[in-house]
Every structure is written in C-alpha cells, then in structure tokens.
Amino acid sequence: MQTTLMIYDGTAPAHSDVPRTGGVPLAPAGFTWPLCGSGCGGPLQFFAHLPIEDGVLSVFVCQNDPGACDFWDATSGANRVYLFPREELQPVSVPETGVTLLPTTSAIRSHVVTLGPEENDDHDELAPDAYDLARSGWKREPEERFGRQREVLGSLGGSPSYLEDDRLPACPCCTGPMEFAAHLEAGISAQTEMNLGGQLGYVFVCRACCEGAFLTG
C-alpha cells in the first residue's frame, strides 16, 4: 500500500503555482474571496493551494475568532474548498480586513511511502492506518534515529485517517458522496502553521460538481 506524504520543503513565493500552504490564492478571473457563513461574516483565511490531477484545490478556513465559528464542521459555512481548473489562474485580491493569510508560505514536495503487508495488518483492529504509519515513520535519511513528523504537512489521496463514516461529507450540489482528497497537518512551526484546533484536517472533493468540503477530527 502506498501513501503520498506532503513534506515541508522550505518557503515558496506567495503567488506561485506550486503545492503550498499559505501565500495568496490563485483562482479564475472574477472569483470573490469567500466570507464566513457561520457567524462572524468575515473573510476566511487561505490555507492551502493543492494541485491535483484534474485541477487545483483551494482551501479556506475561518480564523477571525477561533472557537466562535465552527471551522471544524464541513457544513457550518466557516470553511470552503474549491476545485479550480489549472488554466488561467491568477492571484486573488486580498481583503483589507480580517485574518486572511498565513504568516509564511510553505512549499510542499511529495514523497511516496510504500508499506509492506506486515506493517498494515488489517486483521489487527488496533493497528494504525496507512497514513498514520507513513507519517510516524517519516525520516529524511534511513539511518536517522528519530523521525521528523513535524515536517509532514499531510497527504494526498488514499483514505481518511480514523474518520467515522457518519462524518463523511455529502456534496452540497448533488448530495452524493465526496471523494477524499487530502489530509492537512498544522505545520512545522508556530510561524508557518494552520490553526486546526490540534486536530487533523480532511479535504474532500466532488469532481463532477467542482465542489469541495473541509473538516477536522
């Protein structure tokens, strides 16, 4: 079984079309910065720009008053995920008020981890899942004594780690099940991290409707 980890790879230009957390969102012409629909009504904070095989996932989460708006809930209106086409994206004008940008733009590189059957025993109900195993074992060099889990910014594809079936989101357009797209971790340091409330972020997408969803757990 393979897991594609997203690894911190230094800083990146704020407007770059590379996998990254932070920076300025890229979107089609005419895109309007999303506002919180959970309570505060302020602009959402831009979290991540994640190119995938058929477009770009753009993740926004409310951080104007953490804890007051239910940013962890996929249906609260306090977060938004968009699936944009790769063509003709341009930097979005940033609102002058609200908590809109992360302090630092962090580049992401992909690293595929292959787990053997002995590492992912489906018969053991207490065994960690594939993402948990891949993240916990991440090292830059095999001979390193300790892992570097803080460098893992999440993963692309696979299945959602330890998420109950009753929390899987439905597409707001077609009401069908959504495909799991990515995990998001807070980040490597206080200067770069996304506020996930100490939990793991989950990104889902409905490719047919170009809709996405975000939640934490």
Side-chain angles (χ1 to χ4, degrees):
M1 179 177 292
Q2 292 187 330
T3 299
T4 303
L5 294 178
M6 297 192 294
I7 305 298
Y8 174 76
D9 198 29
T11 58
H15 300 83
S16 58
D17 186 18
V18 300
R20 56 182 166 86
T21 62
V24 175
L26 304 180
F31 175 78
T32 301
W33 196 286
L35 302 178
C36 178
S38 179
C40 77
L44 302 182
Q45 185 178 54
F46 176 63
F47 265 23
H49 174 90
L50 302 175
I52 57 175
E53 60 186 20
D54 54 353
V56 172
L57 291 170
S58 193
V59 183
F60 295 79
V61 179
C62 185
Q63 294 295 299
N64 295 302
D65 187 5
C69 299
D70 298 339
F71 70 80
W72 53 85
D73 185 347
T75 62
S76 67
N79 56 68
R80 288 295 304 271
V81 177
Y82 299 90
L83 176 59
F84 296 136
R86 290 298 301 269
E87 299 79 17
E88 300 182 3
L89 298 181
Q90 58 190 41
V92 178
S93 178
V94 180
E96 296 181 357
T97 61
V99 182
T100 55
L101 301 178
L102 293 173
T104 304
T105 306
S106 299
I108 293 170
R109 67 180 177 89
S110 297
H111 179 81
V112 177
V113 176
T114 301
L115 300 174
E118 69 281 357
E119 297 175 278
N120 192 30
D121 187 357
D122 293 334
H123 299 291
D124 185 352
E125 294 182 359
L126 299 179
D129 67 2
Y131 172 67
D132 200 23
L133 283 167
R135 177 181 179 274
S136 63
W138 164 246
K139 300 177 181 179
R140 285 191 177 271
E141 301 295 339
E143 64 271 13
E144 286 183 339
R145 182 177 179 185
F146 300 106
R148 299 195 181 194
Q149 289 83 8
R150 288 285 287 181
E151 293 183 353
V152 178
L153 302 183
S155 69
L156 289 172
S159 58
S161 177
Y162 298 119
L163 190 66
E164 298 83 358
D165 289 346
D166 60 1
R167 298 201 64 206
L168 298 176
C171 175
C173 287
C174 69
T175 71
M178 304 187 83
E179 176 186 346
F180 176 71
H183 293 108
L184 285 178
E185 299 281 357
I188 194 169
S189 68
Q191 290 72 38
T192 65
E193 70 180 16
M194 301 171 283
N195 177 21
L196 298 174
Q199 302 202 47
L200 181 61
Y202 301 85
V203 181
F204 290 82
V205 64
C206 177
R207 299 176 188 272
C209 300
C210 293
E211 288 283 348
F214 173 86
L215 58 100
T216 68

